[in-house]
Amino acid sequence: MLPLGTQRVNEKGHLEIGGCDTVELAEKFGTPLYVLDERAVRERCREYRGALETRYPRKVKVYYAGKAFLTLAMCRLAAQEGLGLDVTSAGELHTALQADFPPEDIALHGNFKSEEEMRLGIESRVGRIVVDSRIELEQLAALAAEYRRTVPVLLRLNPGIKAGGHEFIETGHIDSKFGLSISTGQALQTVQRALELPHLDLRGVHCHIGSQILATEPFGRTAEVVMEFLAEIRRETEAVLTELNLGGGLGIRYTPADDPPSVEEYAEVIVTRLLRAAERHNFPLPTLMVEPGRSIVGEAGITLYTIGVIKEVPGVRTYVAVDGGMSDNPRPALYKARYEVFLANRAAEEPTQVVTVSGKHCETDTLFEEVVLAPPQVGDLLAVQSTGAYHYSMASNYNRFCRPAVVLVREGQAEVIVERETWEDLLAHDALPTWLRD
Ligand code: LLP
């Protein structure tokens, strides 16, 4: 197993996380269960701030990308660690505001912001609105005028960079719905238009090239391309923009085969390339912003399942079914994602048997294909590594499953931060039309 964060195997041979025995967590809170290691989250926040703040001689702001995992408790952790927050919908923004997240530290994203979302952003005085299209620019300017406010904005660029990750989560290449392309001239035209609009205060530019990127070069190249673009803006418009947001995207370890760069290596590359490019263009260093999501919470989370059925298809494979599936983890189906799994109640035992773990949905919902476990038995507890990001946040109620609880652990304490859904929750929004009531 890959022991991540505070994980260890205790004297009983059980996986422990945040000082809590996972077998006890499963008994107390039930399964499937998402467990989040508070110390691991805080350490990653500090690593990001430390790595960038010590290297970059101007202001740095790390925004946590809430799409990875957002709840009231997570907002509090990010705020306590001095991070800003990237939100991408009215729902995420509402969550942040309910957690008393400082609005000035929130950046509002989205390639199609509804009027409601833009209004909520303006009314709550979020720190930055990241404009993604020409249409949005005009709409936002009109709304800002209506409120008689000047709204601080960044413009999302498409830097034309293809970077790793699954093709569904690549975002920075030319054929993408996100941002405005530098190479087609649309980005510059939109900058020129933004500078004309009195109610928008164009502070800088933003880009995000993709997710689960396992190399540093694409980030370094992006830093250069975007810095060159700031110099081009100055040449063409005389405006010297002062903020540069490089988005998120740093990959994590899902299996021992993944070897992501450390946060230090990532910071070293982007800062070095940025400083060099700024010097080359004689451009004053902008505030540097980044938006990691997965690399803040991903490795801090595990999922616990109970094994319920073991079925051997002779000569083919052994299927092990767990009490969850694509409703709590759609990533294998969506991205062919692979994971490190092991028996949490027998974590010290040698893994010797190849099995395929499936969920319990009415689908061929293979979760973990051909993984090696200690010979599993019904009732064993299966732990899945690196499920802190894009698991709870992407969970659904398919087949009317109740979404699992999320428990935060630290120093032997475990508390629920999201309650397990109930059958009442499942029916809470159902309604019967009058003609079907008797
Ligand atoms: N900033 C922007 C504008 C983004 O679109 C994203 C992720 C991030 C930051 C954070 O990226 P990260 O550091 O987490 O890679 N559901 C997919 C991932 C989608 C990522 C979307 N955008 C998955 O499960 O792999």
Side-chain angles (χ1 to χ4, degrees):
M1 78 181 245
L2 266 178
L4 299 171
T6 65
Q7 296 171 17
R8 68 176 197 110
V9 179
N10 68 17
E11 317 66 52
K12 296 181 185 152
H14 297 171
L15 171 69
E16 196 179 280
I17 178 169
C20 297
D21 185 317
T22 50
V23 174
E24 288 169 23
L25 292 176
E27 274 163 13
K28 180 160 180 200
F29 300 104
T31 56
L33 184 68
Y34 298 117
V35 184
L36 191 67
D37 178 346
E38 178 171 323
R39 198 163 94 195
V41 173
R42 288 186 185 275
E43 275 173 9
R44 293 295 268 185
C45 296
R46 289 171 200 178
E47 251 184 86
Y48 261 102
R49 287 195 55 192
L52 290 165
E53 287 169 6
T54 52
R55 285 178 172 81
Y56 194 68
R58 290 280 180 280
K59 194 173 168 215
V60 168
K61 186 85 195 167
V62 178
Y63 290 81
Y64 165 64
K67 64 210 81 195
F69 174 77
L70 199 71
T71 70
L72 295 176
M74 187 61 213
C75 289
R76 289 281 162 95
L77 288 178
Q80 282 184 5
E81 292 300 329
L83 268 53
L85 186 67
D86 144 6
V87 297
T88 200
S89 67
E92 288 183 1
L93 178 52
H94 177 69
T95 305
L97 296 171
Q98 291 300 305
D100 295 321
F101 203 94
E104 65 276 15
D105 288 334
I106 297 177
L108 176 59
H109 282 269
N111 69 307
F112 166 19
K113 297 177 191 72
S114 66
E115 184 180 326
E116 180 196 33
E117 285 168 328
M118 288 189 265
R119 283 188 188 279
L120 187 60
I122 297 172
E123 283 165 15
S124 60
R125 295 176 191 271
V126 296
R128 299 290 177 272
I129 296 186
V130 183
V131 174
D132 195 281
S133 67
R134 183 66 185 258
I135 289 174
E136 181 190 342
L137 188 79
E138 303 295 340
Q139 289 170 338
L140 188 64
L143 285 173
E146 182 191 316
Y147 285 90
R148 296 198 170 77
R149 297 254 184 90
T150 304
V151 174
V153 299
L154 300 181
L155 194 70
R156 177 158 179 178
L157 305 174
N158 178 342
I161 288 177
K162 246 180 139 27
H166 189 280
E167 64 171 306
F168 292 179
I169 50 179
E170 276 186 338
T171 48
H173 55 101
I174 178 87
D175 182 8
S176 166
K177 72 168 183 175
F178 294 105
L180 289 142
S181 163
I182 298 180
S183 65
T184 61
Q186 284 164 317
L188 184 63
Q189 286 159 15
T190 311
V191 166
Q192 283 162 332
R193 178 68 183 138
L195 292 168
E196 290 167 11
L197 292 165
H199 292 278
L200 299 185
D201 175 12
L202 180 66
R203 300 284 182 92
V205 292
H206 169 281
C207 62
H208 169 76
I209 55 171
S211 202
Q212 184 59 8
I213 296 169
L214 296 170
T216 53
E217 176 52 30
F219 295 111
R221 182 73 198 122
T222 303
E224 277 172 4
V225 167
V226 179
M227 183 53 91
E228 269 163 38
F229 183 61
L230 287 181
E232 186 184 344
I233 293 174
R234 180 179 60 183
R235 226 174 22 249
E236 300 296 325
T237 70
E238 290 179 12
V240 177
L241 301 185
T242 58
E243 295 180 2
L244 178 53
N245 187 327
L246 290 176
L250 184 62
I252 62 167
R253 283 168 296 181
Y254 283 99
T255 74
D258 298 325
D259 185 20
S262 67
V263 173
E264 294 280 333
E265 287 164 334
Y266 161 84
E268 181 65 26
V269 168
I270 60 171
V271 170
T272 311
R273 302 280 281 271
L274 212 51
L275 295 182
R276 236 190 275 151
E279 202 182 309
R280 198 162 54 239
H281 296 286
N282 192 23
F283 198 90
L285 285 179
T287 294
L288 170 60
M289 301 160 162
V290 294
E291 278 167 359
R294 189 191 314 268
S295 53
I296 296 283
V297 288
E299 291 182 8
I302 60 168
T303 304
L304 298 173
Y305 298 103
T306 302
I307 292 176
V309 173
I310 300 172
K311 192 182 283 175
E312 200 194 326
V313 185
V316 182
R317 65 174 81 238
T318 300
Y319 278 104
V320 169
V322 294
D323 56 352
M326 65 193 297
S327 53
D328 61 76
N329 183 359
R331 300 189 71 261
L334 276 173
Y335 319 118
K336 297 192 172 23
R338 295 194 63 90
Y339 293 83
E340 165 94 338
V341 299
F342 51 90
L343 298 183
N345 57 326
R346 291 156 52 200
E349 282 180 41
E350 199 55 36
T352 52
Q353 191 179 348
V354 178
V355 302
T356 286
V357 179
S358 68
K360 52 177 272 173
H361 287 278
C362 268
E363 298 254 354
T364 303
D365 61 339
T366 299
L367 284 173
F368 317 115
E369 199 175 342
E370 300 197 346
V371 289
V372 194
L373 296 178
Q377 287 158 20
V378 170
D380 275 340
L381 193 61
L382 188 80
V384 187
Q385 292 282 26
S386 301
T387 63
Y390 304 112
H391 285 75
Y392 170 70
S393 67
M394 291 173 71
S396 76
N397 291 119
Y398 182 43
N399 291 150
R400 293 237 145 181
F401 279 29
C402 295
R403 267 180 275 237
V406 187
V407 165
L408 187 67
V409 292
R410 65 159 203 186
E411 293 167 11
Q413 289 171 279
E415 285 196 24
V416 168
I417 58 172
V418 181
E419 296 282 356
R420 184 177 302 281
E421 284 179 346
T422 62
W423 291 343
E424 291 81 73
D425 295 325
L426 292 178
L427 292 175
H429 300 283
D430 275 28
L432 283 172
T434 45
W435 60 90
L436 292 180
R437 284 190 192 164
D438 6 275

